[in-house]
């Protein structure tokens, strides 16, 4: 394995304890600010996709229908994972009206599994993409679109639930604190 593949694994291993400690207690949820992270992530993912297209030495052949299908699958699977992760987040409504959210450990396990699975699949997929009739660029872009769709969909799901709770409606994953 070359540094391109094992350095992200080291970063994930180093960040994991910090993420676990951060998610141990609920954090204040501001539904009016939930649009910021998806916009930033979409901009960064767009920049990353643009950057891969500007990388010298890569084939810039147009995508085939199979490549477009792979990109659509990345968006759909990312959206489904984000929706599921958003549903697994517990929202707590306090007596003073503030909302607090705590991500589920299952959601964190999902993210870690997806990151490790992406690394493994990426390492296998890039050298074998041509034999499968896929563009290496489409494979890389599909992974980036997966992450962007997951973040956007998670925030949308949490926003819808938080607004519902603010209006006083019920939600399956809401706890009312006195």
């Amino acid at each position: 394995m070359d540094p391109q593949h094992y350095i992200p694994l080291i970063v994930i291993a180093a960040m994991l304890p910090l993420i676990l400690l951060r998610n141990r207690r609920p954090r204040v949820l501001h539904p009016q600010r939930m649009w910021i992270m998806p916009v930033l992530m979409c901009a960064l993912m767009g920049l990353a996709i643009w950057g891969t297209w500007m990388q010298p030495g890569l084939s810039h052949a147009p995508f085939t229908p199979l490549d477009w299908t792979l990109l659509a699958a990345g968006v759909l699977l990312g959206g489904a994972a984000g929706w599921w992760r958003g549903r697994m987040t517990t929202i707590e409504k306090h007596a003073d009206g503030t909302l607090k959210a705590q991500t589920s450990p299952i959601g964190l396990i999902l993210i870690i599994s997806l990151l490790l699975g992406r690394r493994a699949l990426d390492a296998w997929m890039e050298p074998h993409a041509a034999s499968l009739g896929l563009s290496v660029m489409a494979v890389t872009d599909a992974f980036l679109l997966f992450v962007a769709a997951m973040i956007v969909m998670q925030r949308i799901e949490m926003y819808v639930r938080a607004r519902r709770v603010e209006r006083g409606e019920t939600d399956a994953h809401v706890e009312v604190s006195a």
Side-chain angles (χ1 to χ4, degrees):
M1 238 160 86
D2 57 355
Q4 178 183 359
H5 294 290
Y6 69 79
I7 289 177
L9 295 175
I10 293 171
V11 170
I12 291 169
M15 294 299 294
L16 186 60
L18 296 173
I19 293 169
L20 286 170
L21 288 173
R22 184 174 175 227
N23 289 332
R24 282 183 41 201
R25 55 188 160 87
R27 290 176 283 158
V28 175
L29 182 65
H30 300 281
Q32 66 275 14
R33 292 191 224 153
M34 291 184 75
W35 62 273
I36 297 171
M37 179 60 106
V39 168
L40 288 175
M41 287 307 295
C42 286
L44 288 173
M45 292 300 168
L47 189 62
I49 289 172
W50 175 78
T52 58
W53 280 97
M54 295 296 119
Q55 191 174 5
L58 289 179
S59 169
H60 298 295
F63 285 165
T64 65
L66 186 60
D67 294 332
W68 285 107
T69 304
L70 180 66
L71 294 173
V75 170
L76 291 174
L77 291 172
W83 176 82
W84 186 70
R85 187 163 188 245
R87 290 293 297 166
M88 297 301 292
T89 301
T90 301
I91 298 175
E92 217 176 86
K93 185 174 182 182
H94 290 265
D96 62 356
T98 60
L99 298 177
K100 290 199 175 188
Q102 182 174 10
T103 57
S104 167
I106 295 172
L108 185 60
I109 291 168
L110 170 71
I111 293 295
I112 294 166
S113 306
L114 289 172
L115 288 172
L116 294 176
R118 178 194 178 275
R119 269 289 137 211
L121 189 60
D122 192 31
W124 180 84
M125 194 72 150
E126 283 187 18
H128 295 92
S131 65
L132 295 172
L134 297 170
S135 163
V136 173
M137 297 295 287
V139 171
T140 303
D141 292 352
F143 284 125
L144 291 173
L145 289 173
F146 178 92
V147 171
M150 185 175 66
I151 290 169
V152 169
M153 199 60 183
Q154 176 190 1
R155 292 299 174 122
I156 288 172
E157 173 65 21
M158 288 176 62
Y159 176 80
V160 167
R161 289 179 48 228
R163 298 302 282 184
R164 189 180 306 143
V165 169
E166 283 182 331
R167 288 191 306 264
E169 296 174 20
T170 60
D171 187 79
H173 286 83
V174 174
E175 295 177 5
V176 179
S177 296

